[in-house]
Amino acid sequence: MNDNTTAQGSGTDDGGRDERHKARMVRKKEVVDAKIAAAQDERGVIVITTGNGKGKSSSGFGMVVRALGHGMRTGVVQFIKGAQPTGEEMFLRRFPDVCDFHVMGEGYTWETQDRARDVAKAEAAWEVARGMLRDPSIGLVLFDELNIALKLHYLDVERVVEDLRARPPMQHVVITGRGAPPALVEAADTVTDMVPIKHAFQQGIKAQRGVEM
Amino acid sequence: MNDNTTAQGSGTDDGGRDERHKARMVRKKEVVDAKIAAAQDERGVIVITTGNGKGKSSSGFGMVVRALGHGMRTGVVQFIKGAQPTGEEMFLRRFPDVCDFHVMGEGYTWETQDRARDVAKAEAAWEVARGMLRDPSIGLVLFDELNIALKLHYLDVERVVEDLRARPPMQHVVITGRGAPPALVEAADTVTDMVPIKHAFQQGIKAQRGVEM
C-alpha cells in the first residue's frame, strides 16, 4: 500500500508511467463504449463451450448461478454424465423451485458400452430439454455434454437446431461438451474452444472430491 | 426411441456398427482406467483459466458451486470486476457461512484510469486472498481476474506464487483472467486457454442481464 498520495498532489515521479497508463485506458474505454453502443439487439443467446480443455461444464454451471442471482428460473439437463452425482448437482438440487435439474445419462459411454441404450437415453434427455425450450418462464437452460451426444450421433443435429430456434426469444441456452458439430456452432452466438495447456491428471494427481479434474 | 431391442436378441442389422462402437469404447475405457490408476497423488491443485474467450470467470464460479455441493467451505476474491454486482455475487452472498465473498476491484481499469489507486486496490485484495490461503478450513478459493492484476503489474507474480505454495496442502485454488503470466502457469496444475470462436457482441447483441456476455 502506498501512502505517498497525500504528499504534493498526484506526485508522479516515475517518468510519466501513470500518465501513459491513463491515456491508454482512456482510448480503451472509448473502444469498449463504442462496441457497447453498437450492440443493441436484446434477445436470448446460444452459448457453446467446447474443446478438449477443462472448464466446459463448470462454465455452464457458473452461468446457471449467474442467472439464478438475477432471479431467473433455470433448467439443467445432463446428457452423458451422471453415474456419480456431481457437486454441482448436489448443490443445485437444493433449489428445485428455480433450478429444474435432470440427469439423463448413465455414466460415460465407455462405461456402458451399449450404443442402443445410449441412443435411447439421449432421446429421452432431448424430450426433457425440448420441454424446457417451450417454457418461457425458464430464463436460461444448460444442456451439459449435449455436444458429445451429437458427436456420437445419438441425436440428429438438424432436429436439435430446429428445436433451439423455436425457443422463447429471450431464453438463453448454454451447451457444453467436446466436439460441437459445425451446424450447432453455426446456430450459436458465442462459442469458446477450451484448449488444454496443462492438466493435473498428466502430472499424477488423482481426481479429487471438490474439483473432479 | 427404438423398441427393436425386444426382437431377436441384440438384433444388429446395421453392419456391426454397435459392435465396432463397443470395441472402441472398451479400448477407451482401458486407457481412461489406466490413467486413473496411475494418478495417485492427493493434494490441492491450482487451476487457471485464461485466454480471450468467454467462460473464464463462469468456470471458476462453477467450481465454487461444485465444492459447495461437496460440503466444502469456499472463498472468492474478485480483483478487478465489481462496479456492478454480478449474478454470481448476488447468488453466492446468500451463503455467507460457506462462501466468503469479497469484491475488491472498482470497475475495470479503463473505467477508473488511475493506476496508483488500482495498485492499492490490488494490494488490499491480495491481503484478503492471503488470509484465505492461510485458512485450512477453506477447501477451495477463487481469485477472479487475478491474472489481469498480475499482467498489469499491479501485483508481483513471484510474491503471489510464494503465497500460493505456502497454502494448506489440500486447498484448491482457481485463478481466472486474460494473460496469465508464465511464472503462474508454471506453478499451476491445470491450465486452460479459452479461445474465442464466435462472440455475441460481434453480432450486435447487447450484453444482457443473466448472461452478461
Side-chain angles (χ1 to χ4, degrees):
Chain A
M1 238 86 57
N2 183 355
D3 288 322
N4 294 342
T5 45
T6 49
Q8 295 279 356
S10 65
T12 50
D13 54 2
D14 63 351
R17 187 181 186 190
D18 282 8
E19 284 308 309
R20 287 197 305 274
H21 175 81
K22 185 165 175 172
R24 210 161 50 231
M25 292 297 113
V26 167
R27 283 196 301 276
K28 186 153 191 175
K29 181 165 162 58
E30 285 168 3
V31 171
V32 171
D33 287 351
K35 278 193 192 169
I36 291 169
Q40 289 304 339
D41 190 7
E42 282 201 50
R43 60 172 173 81
V45 291
I46 299 176
V47 177
I48 298 180
T49 61
T50 191
N52 296 326
K54 300 302 293 185
K56 299 183 290 294
S57 293
S58 301
S59 168
F61 284 106
M63 284 184 261
V64 169
V65 167
R66 182 177 294 170
L68 290 173
H70 284 286
M72 290 183 178
R73 288 186 65 231
T74 60
V76 177
V77 180
Q78 291 197 290
F79 278 79
I80 305 280
K81 282 177 185 167
Q84 296 287 327
T86 60
E88 299 92 318
E89 179 184 351
M90 289 190 280
F91 186 77
L92 291 169
R93 279 202 191 278
R94 297 185 204 165
F95 314 98
D97 294 347
V98 288
C99 184
D100 188 18
F101 205 111
H102 296 260
V103 178
M104 307 295 292
E106 235 177 80
Y108 286 100
T109 181
W110 53 87
E111 294 286 347
T112 61
Q113 298 169 14
D114 182 338
R115 184 178 166 83
R117 197 180 69 169
D118 285 353
V119 168
K121 294 271 170 194
E123 292 280 357
W126 188 247
E127 275 312 301
V128 173
R130 282 183 80 199
M132 293 177 179
L133 291 171
R134 288 166 181 158
D135 182 351
S137 80
I138 300 181
L140 183 142
V141 294
L142 166 60
F143 299 151
D144 187 44
E145 305 289 7
L146 172 59
N147 289 337
I148 294 187
L150 292 166
K151 188 186 168 186
L152 293 170
H153 302 286
Y154 292 170
L155 292 171
D156 176 56
V157 67
E158 299 304 332
R159 192 159 59 92
V160 163
V161 168
E162 195 175 303
D163 290 337
L164 290 174
R165 291 215 163 107
R167 78 190 190 282
M170 292 306 294
Q171 189 181 68
H172 303 298
V173 181
V174 184
I175 297 170
T176 75
R178 295 181 186 206
L184 195 64
V185 169
E186 175 63 32
D189 300 286
T190 296
V191 181
T192 306
D193 183 19
M194 310 235 167
V195 178
I197 302 297
K198 213 173 176 182
H199 193 323
F201 215 43
Q202 296 160 347
Q203 299 166 62
I205 296 163
K206 201 171 172 179
Q208 282 160 79
R209 194 182 69 104
V211 285
E212 288 147 26
M213 66 192 320
Chain B
M1 239 85 60
N2 182 356
D3 288 322
N4 293 343
T5 46
T6 49
Q8 295 280 356
S10 67
T12 51
D13 54 3
D14 64 352
R17 188 181 187 191
D18 281 9
E19 284 308 308
R20 286 197 305 275
H21 175 81
K22 184 166 177 172
R24 212 163 47 231
M25 292 297 114
V26 167
R27 283 195 301 276
K28 186 154 190 173
K29 181 166 163 55
E30 284 168 2
V31 170
V32 171
D33 288 351
K35 278 192 193 169
I36 291 169
Q40 289 304 338
D41 190 7
E42 280 202 50
R43 61 172 174 80
V45 291
I46 298 176
V47 177
I48 297 180
T49 61
T50 191
N52 297 327
K54 300 302 293 184
K56 298 182 290 294
S57 294
S58 301
S59 167
F61 284 106
M63 283 185 261
V64 168
V65 167
R66 182 178 293 167
L68 290 173
H70 284 288
M72 290 182 179
R73 289 186 65 232
T74 61
V76 177
V77 180
Q78 292 196 291
F79 277 79
I80 306 279
K81 282 177 184 164
Q84 296 287 327
T86 59
E88 300 92 317
E89 180 185 350
M90 290 190 280
F91 187 76
L92 290 171
R93 280 201 191 277
R94 296 184 205 165
F95 313 98
D97 294 346
V98 288
C99 185
D100 188 18
F101 204 110
H102 296 261
V103 177
M104 307 294 294
E106 234 177 82
Y108 286 99
T109 181
W110 55 87
E111 294 287 347
T112 62
Q113 299 168 11
D114 181 337
R115 184 177 165 84
R117 197 179 70 168
D118 285 354
V119 168
K121 294 271 171 195
E123 292 278 357
W126 188 247
E127 276 311 302
V128 172
R130 282 184 81 197
M132 294 177 178
L133 291 172
R134 288 167 180 156
D135 182 350
S137 80
I138 300 181
L140 183 142
V141 293
L142 166 61
F143 298 152
D144 187 44
E145 305 289 7
L146 171 59
N147 289 337
I148 294 187
L150 291 167
K151 188 185 167 186
L152 293 170
H153 302 288
Y154 292 170
L155 293 171
D156 176 57
V157 66
E158 298 305 332
R159 192 159 59 94
V160 163
V161 168
E162 196 175 303
D163 290 337
L164 291 172
R165 290 214 163 109
R167 78 192 191 280
M170 293 307 294
Q171 190 180 66
H172 303 298
V173 181
V174 185
I175 297 169
T176 74
R178 294 180 187 208
L184 195 64
V185 169
E186 174 63 32
D189 300 287
T190 296
V191 181
T192 306
D193 184 20
M194 311 235 166
V195 178
I197 302 297
K198 214 173 175 182
H199 193 324
F201 214 42
Q202 297 160 347
Q203 300 167 62
I205 297 163
K206 201 170 172 180
Q208 280 161 79
R209 195 183 69 105
V211 285
E212 288 146 26
M213 66 191 322

